[in-house]
Amino acid sequence: MVRVLAQVAMVMNLDKCIGCHTCSVTCKQTWTNREGTEYVWFNNVETKPGIGYPKGYEDQERWKGGWVLDRKGRLQLKSGGRVKRLGQIFANPHLPTIDDYYEPATYDYDALLSSPARTDDTPVARPISRLTGDDMAITWGANWEDQLGGTAEHGPQDPNLATLTPEARQKVKFEFEKTFLFHLPRICEHCLNPACVSACPSGAMYKREEDGIVLVDQDTCRGWRMCVTACPYKKVYTNTSTGKAEKCTFCFPRIEAGMNDEWIEAAQLSPIWKLAMKFRVALPLHPEYRTMPMVWYIPPLSPVLDAVKDRGGDETDADDVFHAIADLRIPVEYLASIFTAGDSDVVGGVLMKLAAMRSYMRELTLDGTVRQDLLDATGMNAEDLEELYRLLAIAKYEDRYIIPAAAKRDAAELEDTANSAACSLEKDGAPGMGGETVGAGQVLFGATLQVRKA
Ligand code: SF4
């Protein structure tokens, strides 16, 4: 395990995610809008149930990502020990192909722009592969299920459904569109025990001691791609132009380098700590992969509320929702297979807490009623429940982003760093920036991502 002095982390509230993909697009504009990363999404938003990106990445029997315990109870990479991995270094059988992601395409816009006026038919812009330049048929995309209605067809192949009972699977299969749907935004987990770092034969992947962010040293990477196999979340990508690994940087240039007291104060104020440890409503994504992921999720209550409505119940009535959580095994078991390694009681407990919080605050706001029975159901006092509500419902930017400020004594040094373009996103030549203007005002950021060990 990599030793770190501090660890930055994130919690995503899935009841708030509406699948608008704004986060994916801004991330792509900043980090992967350049040659060789056309298919790459450091941040992507998946539709669940669904098979995700790359297809079926959660099926570790197929991809061999994450860690397992060996016969002596010691952690070992699922992709095998050092000797086995070295034996596969030139022919790794567990790598996603471009079809598992999707072949990036553009369109022959010139066919539209320079077409002469005509009355017989309408000019058509054919799709063209961004990798080969050939005409192609588009059969898959980053959000195919979401945007193009493929969930009913591909959702039943979701690896998380494999853990459900045969009856539940049948029900999901036959009543898919009526069952439930939610969105899952995903970035690199900046794991405490990163399988990608352990699998890298070149030592190019590393976890920063000062904040726990996992990065790739571009000078050292030799493109062996062992990190791609080892990452169970498939959040390391190969730049098809440079052949080197690239991954989410947790926007490290945006995180100022805080020191000592500032880190401790930020940790004490952290909403992450409150949501995960104090209120215990944030859960890790697939903890069974044993990488100790550092991006956690508030599980969505919406699948249960949808089911309450389908049953003719009142989604604002705590009793109806409590009964639904207890009775409706499909959403709860499905969420458990994603967030708690199959432990339905933990997910059910979090959903109960969220449902009780909603009902308690509703009655308090409408007519000032204090429902002690709902407080008892959550095991929280009124002050804590209202704090959780504020955090989830109405928290301001400064309450949600607690990042240690730089120490004053380091201000001059940081300013120099920013001015030298090593750290700022706004400077030419900075990470993800630079490049040339193409087409009608479209900008391609062409600089190589230069992340180097300090
Ligand atoms: Fe490494 Fe990120 Fe994958 Fe964890 S999620 S194994 S840190 S690439």
Side-chain angles (χ1 to χ4, degrees):
M1 192 168 312
V2 182
R3 285 181 189 279
V4 290
L5 298 175
Q7 173 71 53
V8 290
M10 191 183 291
V11 169
M12 302 194 190
N13 185 350
L14 298 185
D15 261 333
K16 291 244 172 147
C17 178
I18 55 170
C20 69
H21 300 101
T22 312
C23 55
S24 302
V25 171
T26 46
C27 174
K28 185 139 192 72
Q29 291 273 58
T30 307
W31 294 107
T32 58
N33 192 357
R34 58 204 150 72
E35 196 182 346
T37 56
E38 291 86 353
Y39 76 101
V40 171
W41 295 85
F42 285 176
N43 180 114
N44 70 297
V45 183
E46 287 163 11
T47 308
K48 285 290 181 193
I51 58 178
Y53 159 81
K55 293 173 190 161
Y57 71 93
E58 291 159 295
D59 180 357
Q60 302 313 332
E61 291 315 307
R62 180 178 176 201
W63 300 116
K64 310 290 180 205
W67 299 88
V68 287
L69 295 179
D70 69 10
R71 267 178 294 177
K72 291 186 178 160
R74 293 172 307 198
L75 277 179
Q76 180 181 300
L77 287 171
K78 192 166 174 73
S79 50
R82 188 169 299 179
V83 174
K84 181 176 177 195
R85 282 183 283 120
L86 277 178
Q88 296 178 338
I89 205 161
F90 293 110
N92 181 348
H94 305 298
L95 280 176
T97 64
I98 196 68
D99 286 340
D100 293 308
Y101 296 96
Y102 70 101
E103 185 162 349
T106 184
Y107 291 90
D108 179 10
Y109 293 110
D110 201 43
L112 300 179
L113 298 173
S114 43
S115 170
R118 51 203 292 179
T119 55
D120 49 349
D121 55 17
T122 311
V124 173
R126 289 176 182 281
I128 298 169
S129 167
R130 296 284 299 271
L131 300 182
T132 63
D134 297 336
D135 287 354
M136 63 175 280
I138 298 178
T139 56
W140 193 258
N143 293 101
W144 193 260
E145 293 147 326
D146 201 84
Q147 319 245 308
L148 299 169
T151 296
E153 188 183 339
H154 301 285
Q157 297 162 22
D158 181 334
N160 296 294
L161 294 174
T163 59
L164 301 190
T165 59
E167 298 78 42
R169 269 205 304 278
Q170 279 300 95
K171 185 164 169 52
V172 172
K173 195 170 164 200
F174 288 119
E175 296 190 35
F176 209 85
E177 282 154 309
K178 284 189 270 169
T179 312
F180 59 95
L181 174 147
F182 66 96
H183 299 285
L184 183 71
R186 292 203 307 118
I187 60 174
C188 163
E189 297 278 347
H190 297 275
C191 306
L192 262 187
N193 188 23
C196 58
V197 173
S198 296
C200 177
S202 315
M205 309 280 303
Y206 64 105
K207 186 167 177 69
R208 298 208 304 191
E209 218 177 49
E210 64 270 36
D211 53 20
I213 292 175
V214 175
L215 297 172
V216 186
D217 182 345
Q218 292 289 300
D219 288 343
T220 311
C221 179
R222 295 287 171 267
W224 293 118
R225 306 180 191 194
M226 291 294 168
C227 51
V228 179
T229 298
C231 172
Y233 303 96
K234 290 292 166 277
K235 279 294 173 186
V236 193
Y237 304 90
T238 304
N239 182 309
T240 54
S241 176
T242 65
K244 298 192 179 195
E246 291 192 15
K247 62 177 292 304
C248 155
T249 66
F250 220 93
C251 291
F252 74 89
R254 294 284 192 217
I255 297 180
E256 293 178 324
M259 297 281 180
N260 308 322
D261 295 347
E262 290 81 0
W263 272 102
I264 292 168
E265 195 185 329
Q268 286 167 341
L269 293 172
S270 166
I272 313 288
W273 185 85
K274 285 179 188 157
L275 293 169
M277 304 301 294
K278 182 177 176 187
F279 301 130
R280 295 188 172 273
V281 292
L283 301 170
L285 182 64
H286 288 300
E288 72 275 18
Y289 298 162
R290 299 176 190 272
T291 62
M292 303 177 78
M294 288 293 114
V295 177
W296 287 29
Y297 296 86
I298 314 273
L301 197 53
S302 48
V304 178
L305 300 182
D306 286 350
V308 172
K309 273 192 288 184
D310 286 353
R311 296 189 341 168
D314 178 357
E315 56 160 322
T316 62
D317 184 298
D319 286 340
D320 278 4
V321 178
F322 284 177
H323 282 130
I325 293 169
D327 297 346
L328 293 168
R329 303 310 301 169
I330 292 180
V332 177
E333 283 176 15
Y334 180 76
L335 293 175
S337 76
I338 297 177
F339 298 114
T340 56
D343 189 334
S344 303
D345 290 345
V346 174
V347 170
V350 172
L351 295 178
M352 292 272 194
K353 204 176 270 188
L354 295 173
M357 179 197 74
R358 285 162 57 111
S359 297
Y360 176 89
M361 290 306 299
R362 183 169 178 268
E363 298 205 22
L364 186 68
T365 310
L366 284 180
D367 56 17
T369 308
V370 174
R371 288 272 305 268
Q372 187 59 42
D373 60 322
L374 291 177
L375 286 176
D376 294 344
T378 63
M380 295 164 78
N381 61 37
E383 197 183 333
D384 281 351
L385 197 83
E386 287 178 38
E387 186 184 6
L388 175 61
Y389 172 76
R390 272 199 307 280
L391 210 45
L392 293 183
I394 52 176
K396 299 276 186 292
Y397 184 89
E398 57 272 20
D399 300 320
R400 292 187 288 126
Y401 292 84
I402 308 286
I403 294 172
K408 286 196 184 76
R409 61 181 174 275
D410 297 323
E413 192 188 323
L414 284 169
E415 201 162 308
D416 284 350
T417 313
N419 288 337
S420 70
C423 179
S424 167
L425 294 180
E426 281 84 24
K427 306 278 180 186
D428 283 347
M433 300 301 283
E436 57 195 276
T437 302
V438 294
Q442 189 187 10
V443 177
L444 252 187
F445 297 115
T448 306
L449 184 66
Q450 290 294 333
V451 178
R452 294 192 173 88
K453 286 182 192 174

